[in-house]
Amino acid sequence: MPTEKFMNLGDYKKQAILDAMRAEFMTTPYSEIRISSLIKRAGISRASFYLYFQSKEDLFTCMMHQLRERLVQGLVEAFQEQKSSFDASMSRLVNRIMDDEIYRDCWEFCKRVMEDGTCREVAACAEREYDKEDLREKTEKKCYEAMDHSGYPGLDKEKLRYAIGMGMLVILRISMLYLDHAADPKRLKEMAARQFAILDRGIRD
């Protein structure tokens, strides 16, 4: 999680440090990333780096936290904008991921994490922190509250949690195919919509 000192930094400097880590990670195996190259990219001193972080692992975790927040924000906004149904909300998120560069960056990062085995333990620790702070539960609660429940008589928070989990796996697969240019974007959106419709029927019972 981001340190208090880091969170108190000005937005410009904070983003410069995060951008430096992301740029390094997208072109260099995690195990080969050096703090010297990070501070050079970010334009900060080594002393400043250690004022905010204990290690590159801390910085990597902070970057993961920021990207996670973007994806979570996108998910919640999709439900708040659509309001009517689960499948429409999830399809809205897919459209945003494919059409908005900010969200594409998030999935490019996820793809890189899966490809680079040297960072998986750090990434797993960051995921555990996410669960520990109940951020997943808070996100799902916001989605649940945003939905129109009139068409979902049997819906409860647990059902929606499982549906969102399955839906995010669909989005992960679709996003990876999209980033690999393995299929036409329109076809990928249609594939996702069909799978969301199946999940939607399951939580309407």
Side-chain angles (χ1 to χ4, degrees), residues 24 32-44 46 49-50:
E24 285 287 311
E32 296 177 16
I33 293 175
R34 299 291 177 260
I35 290 173
S36 57
S37 60
L38 291 173
I39 62 177
K40 184 176 180 181
R41 273 187 185 271
I44 61 172
R46 185 174 290 270
F49 180 90
Y50 284 110

Side-chain angles (χ1 to χ4, degrees), residues 64-73 127 130 136:
M64 285 197 65
H65 177 83
Q66 184 195 53
L67 293 173
R68 165 68 74 176
E69 280 190 331
R70 285 182 189 167
L71 289 174
V72 164
Q73 180 183 358
E127 278 295 301
Y130 175 72
R136 194 185 306 276

Side-chain angles (χ1 to χ4, degrees), residues 79-112:
F79 273 82
Q80 291 172 339
E81 290 164 6
Q82 292 302 128
K83 296 184 184 300
S84 56
S85 67
F86 169 83
D87 57 339
S89 299
M90 297 302 287
S91 291
R92 172 76 170 170
L93 181 58
V94 168
N95 290 336
R96 179 169 288 170
I97 287 168
M98 291 191 180
D99 299 336
D100 189 323
E101 187 175 343
I102 289 176
Y103 293 99
R104 284 201 303 274
D105 285 350
C106 292
W107 288 111
E108 285 175 356
F109 172 80
C110 291
K111 183 173 184 287
R112 182 79 175 116

